Amino acid sequence: MTRLTTDPDEIRQFVESHDAVPALIYSDDPRELPVPAVIFPSGPSGRGAQEVTWPEFLTALEASGLALRYAVAAPGVRTPAFFELAQREGWVPPSDGHGRP
């Protein structure tokens, strides 16, 4: 079973419970938003992911319209590290006034 959340405390608890840290992947194009990522100590984290503060990560998550989807384990079982940053239901990117995100 999985759960989708935008709650900052829940996201932070999940990430930190897996000894991971918040990160962003920056584009070479300054007009593009940074992509939120998570760095796990024992696995790939996305090419070019750079550790950032929680406020920076949460701001980028909000601006991107993303939420954390993670695996929910049975009571007494350690939660698996499965997660994805998924599009929020019904989220529409902000427009620049010219019909472009």
Side-chain angles (χ1 to χ4, degrees), residues 21-32:
V21 294
L24 294 175
I25 300 171
Y26 295 93
S27 170
D28 290 336
D29 184 343
R31 296 171 294 176
E32 290 186 25

Side-chain angles (χ1 to χ4, degrees), residues 20-73:
V21 294
L24 294 175
I25 300 171
Y26 295 93
S27 170
D28 290 336
D29 184 343
R31 296 171 294 176
E32 290 186 25
L33 293 173
V35 177
V38 176
I39 298 174
F40 286 89
S42 62
S45 59
R47 185 178 172 145
Q50 298 176 19
E51 185 175 345
V52 295
T53 66
W54 278 106
E56 291 171 308
F57 175 81
L58 294 169
T59 297
L61 199 68
E62 180 72 27
S64 299
L66 298 175
L68 175 72
R69 181 184 314 277
Y70 65 95
V72 178

